[in-house]
C-alpha cells in the first residue's frame, strides 16, 4: 500500500513538472530579464519582480527590506529578502530552500543578450540563469508540484530568496536567521544537478597596509619606500604559497588550499617615494582547516617579512571570514536522500562531493541548520559559463532538478 502511495506521489510530481515546463521556463526568463548585478547591488527592484511573479503563482510572499545603513555597510545599494512559506498538514519539519537573486556583472564577450533569456538548442542564456536564478524557479515549482500532488504531508517548506550572495550573504541568509524570521529544521541551497554538495571551502580575505614616508624621487633615501617593503611581503607570501599544494583535502572535489593576491593600490606620483601601499589577499580554506590557525599562519608570514623592513609599518586587517561547510550526520542523511532521487530522475549515479567555492550555505550551518546544495545546472560551473560570458542552463536539467527536489521534500514530510 505504501509503495502504491509513493508511486502515486512520484507520478503526480512528474506529471506536474512535465505539464508546466513552459510556465517554469517563462518564470525563469522573467527573472533573468530583470538585472540584479552586484556590484553595484541595487537589488530591490529584482526582488519586487520575483515577489510579484511568485504571487502570480499563488504564493504569499513576505518582503523584508534590509535597513539602508546595513545595506551600505555591506557595499550595496538596496536589498530585500523574500520568504514564501507553504504549510502542509500538521507538525513536521520546516525545510528552507535558499537561492540568491543577485549576480555578478555581465562583463565582456557575450554572444547573447545577458538579459535576454534567449533559448538556443534547449539552453537558456543569460546572466544568473545558472547561478542561481534557476533555483528560484526550481524550488518554487517543486513546492507547487507538492501542492498539486495531493500527498498527505506534514511540514512547512520555505523559499528564501536573498540578494547578497555575491557580497557575502551577511544581509541575506544570515540576516533572516539572526532576526528570527525563519527557524528551519534543515535546508537545501542552490547547486547543480549532477552532484549533491555536502562540503565546501571557506575563505579569508585580509587587507595588508604598508606605511612608509614620502620623499622626492631625487632624494629617495630621505623617505621610507612603502612599495619596497610591500614587495618584500609579497615575495614572502608567493614563496609560502607554493607549499599549499601539499595540503590536499580528503574530500572529493575540493583539492588544495589556495591563496591569491587580487587587489593592490598605492603611490602618489611617479616622482614621489610611495608612502602607502595596500593589497588584499584571498585565502581559500579546505574543510579540514581551522580558520583561526589559517589566519595566524598568514599573519606570521607577513610579520616575518615585515621585520626585514623595520622603518615601514605593516598593518593587517581582516575583511572577510567565511567558514568552510562540513558534513554532519543530519546533512549526510539529507544528501543521501537527494542522491537517491537524483540518481533515478537523472538516469545515472549521482553522489556527494565538495566544491572549492564558498556559499551562503555556511550561514545556515553556523546557525545549526543541516544543509546541502542541490539544484538546476549542468555538470560543472565551466560548462555553465558561470561568472563568464554566455552563462547558460540546459532547461532539461531545470525540469529534472525540480522533480528531484519535490520528491525529496515529499519524503522529508512523510510521503
Amino acid at each position: 500500500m505504501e509503495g502504491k502511495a509513493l508511486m502515486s506521489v512520484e507520478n503526480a510530481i512528474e506529471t506536474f513538472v512535465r505539464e508546466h515546463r513552459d510556465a517554469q521556463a517563462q518564470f525563469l526568463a522573467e527573472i533573468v530579464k530583470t538585472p540584479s548585478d552586484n556590484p553595484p547591488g541595487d537589488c530591490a527592484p529584482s526582488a519586487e519582480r520575483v515577489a510579484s511573479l511568485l504571487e502570480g503563482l499563488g504564493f504569499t510572499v513576505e518582503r523584508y527590506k534590509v535597513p539602508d545603513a546595513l545595506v551600505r555597510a555591506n557595499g550595496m545599494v538596496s536589498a530585500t529578502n523574500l520568504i514564501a512559506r507553504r504549510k502542509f498538514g500538521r507538525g513536521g519539519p520546516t525545510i528552507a530552500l535558499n537561492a540568491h537573486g543577485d549576480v555578478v556583472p555581465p562583463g565582456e564577450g557575450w554572444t547573447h543578450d545577458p538579459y535576454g533569456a534567449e533559448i538556443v538548442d534547449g539552453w537558456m542564456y543569460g546572466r544568473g540563469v545558472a547561478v542561481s536564478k534557476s533555483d528560484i524557479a526550481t524550488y518554487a515549482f517543486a513546492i507547487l508540484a507538492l501542492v498539486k500532488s495531493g500527498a498527505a504531508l506534514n511540514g512547512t517548506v520555505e523559499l528564501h530568496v536573498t540578494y547578497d550572495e555575491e557580497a557575502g550573504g551577511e544581509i541575506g541568509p544570515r540576516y533572516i536567521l539572526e532576526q528570527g524570521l525563519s527557524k528551519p529544521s534543515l535546508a537545501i541551497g542552490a547547486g547543480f544537478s549532477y552532484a549533491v554538495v555536502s562540503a565546501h571551502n571557506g575563505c579569508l580575505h585580509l587587507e595588508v597596509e604598508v606605511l612608509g614616508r614620502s620623499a622626492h624621487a631625487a632624494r629617495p633615501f630621505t623617505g621610507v619606500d612603502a612599495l619596497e617593503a610591500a614587495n618584500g611581503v609579497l615575495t614572502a607570501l608567493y614563496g609560502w604559497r607554493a607549499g599549499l599544494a601539499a595540503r590536499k583535502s580528503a574530500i572529493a572535489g575540493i583539492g588544495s588550499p589556495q591563496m591569491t593576491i587580487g587587489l593592490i593600490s598605492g603611490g602618489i606620483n611617479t616622482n614621489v617615494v610611495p608612502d602607502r601601499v595596500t593589497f588584499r589577499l584571498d585565502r581559500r580554506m579546505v574543510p579540514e582547516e581551522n580558520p583561526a590557525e589559517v589566519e595566524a599562519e598568514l599573519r606570521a608570514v607577513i610579520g616575518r617579512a615585515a621585520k626585514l623592513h623595520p622603518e615601514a609599518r605593516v598593518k593587517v586587517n581582516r575583511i572577510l571570514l567565511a567558514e568552510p561547510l562540513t558534513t554532519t550526520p543530519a546533512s549526510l542523511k539529507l544528501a543521501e536522500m537527494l542522491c537517491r532521487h537524483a540518481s533515478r530522475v537523472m538516469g545515472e549515479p549521482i553522489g556527494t562531493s565538495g566544491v572549492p567555492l564558498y556559499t551562503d550555505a555556511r550561514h545556515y550551518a553556523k546557525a545549526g541548520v543541516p544543509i546541502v546544495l542541490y539544484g538546476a545546472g549542468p555538470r560543472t560551473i565551466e560548462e555553465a559559463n558561470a561568472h563568464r560570458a554566455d552563462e547558460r542552463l540546459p532547461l532539461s536539467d531545470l525540469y529534472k532538478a525540480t522533480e528531484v527536489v519535490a520528491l525529496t521534500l515529499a519524503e522529508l514530510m512523510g510521503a
Side-chain angles (χ1 to χ4, degrees), residues 270-415:
T270 308
N271 61 350
V272 181
V273 173
D275 63 346
R276 181 176 181 269
V277 173
T278 64
F279 63 87
R280 288 191 179 187
L281 64 85
D282 177 306
R283 169 67 160 86
R284 297 300 166 112
M285 300 173 283
V286 300
E288 293 92 339
E289 291 187 297
N290 179 292
E293 293 175 358
V294 167
E295 183 170 353
E297 182 181 23
L298 271 171
R299 287 178 178 270
V301 172
I302 294 166
R304 288 193 297 269
K307 286 181 179 179
L308 300 177
H309 302 271
E311 290 188 298
R313 290 179 294 146
V314 178
K315 300 179 181 179
V316 182
N317 298 308
R318 184 202 295 170
I319 303 299
L320 168 74
L321 176 60
E323 296 184 353
L325 177 67
T326 57
T327 302
T328 67
S331 68
L332 181 60
K333 183 177 180 181
L334 174 57
E336 290 173 345
M337 194 178 298
L338 278 163
C339 286
R340 176 162 36 84
H341 290 298
S343 296
R344 185 184 69 79
V345 173
M346 303 302 292
E348 61 181 83
I350 302 296
T352 60
S353 72
V355 292
L357 315 170
Y358 68 95
T359 76
D360 280 347
R362 71 188 191 278
H363 296 296
Y364 291 89
K366 190 171 184 179
V369 181
I371 183 169
V372 297
L373 305 180
Y374 183 80
R379 296 179 185 276
T380 65
I381 58 174
E382 291 81 13
E383 189 178 4
N385 290 328
H387 287 201
R388 300 191 301 195
D390 287 342
E391 183 175 347
R392 60 182 189 161
L393 172 80
L395 291 175
S396 59
D397 286 353
L398 173 67
Y399 310 136
K400 291 176 182 177
T402 302
E403 189 175 342
V404 171
V405 172
L407 289 168
T408 302
L409 293 173
E411 185 173 350
L412 288 168
M413 292 190 291

Side-chain angles (χ1 to χ4, degrees), residues 63 192 268 293 392:
R63 297 163 171 82
F192 281 13
I268 298 172
E293 293 175 358
R392 60 182 189 161

Side-chain angles (χ1 to χ4, degrees), residues 81-154:
N81 297 314
L82 308 177
I83 301 179
R85 311 176 206 257
R86 184 59 65 104
K87 186 171 180 60
F88 298 86
R90 296 183 178 181
T94 297
I95 308 160
L97 307 173
N98 173 239
H100 67 92
D102 63 320
V103 300
V104 297
E108 302 298 325
W110 286 76
T111 62
H112 302 270
D113 181 354
Y115 308 111
E118 182 182 357
I119 299 174
V120 180
D121 296 330
W123 292 71
M124 182 181 289
Y125 287 80
R127 177 52 88 221
V129 69
V131 183
S132 76
K133 292 184 175 184
S134 58
D135 287 318
I136 301 174
T138 299
Y139 299 153
F141 276 75
I143 297 170
L144 292 177
L146 290 181
V147 173
K148 298 299 183 181
S149 73
L153 307 175
N154 292 294

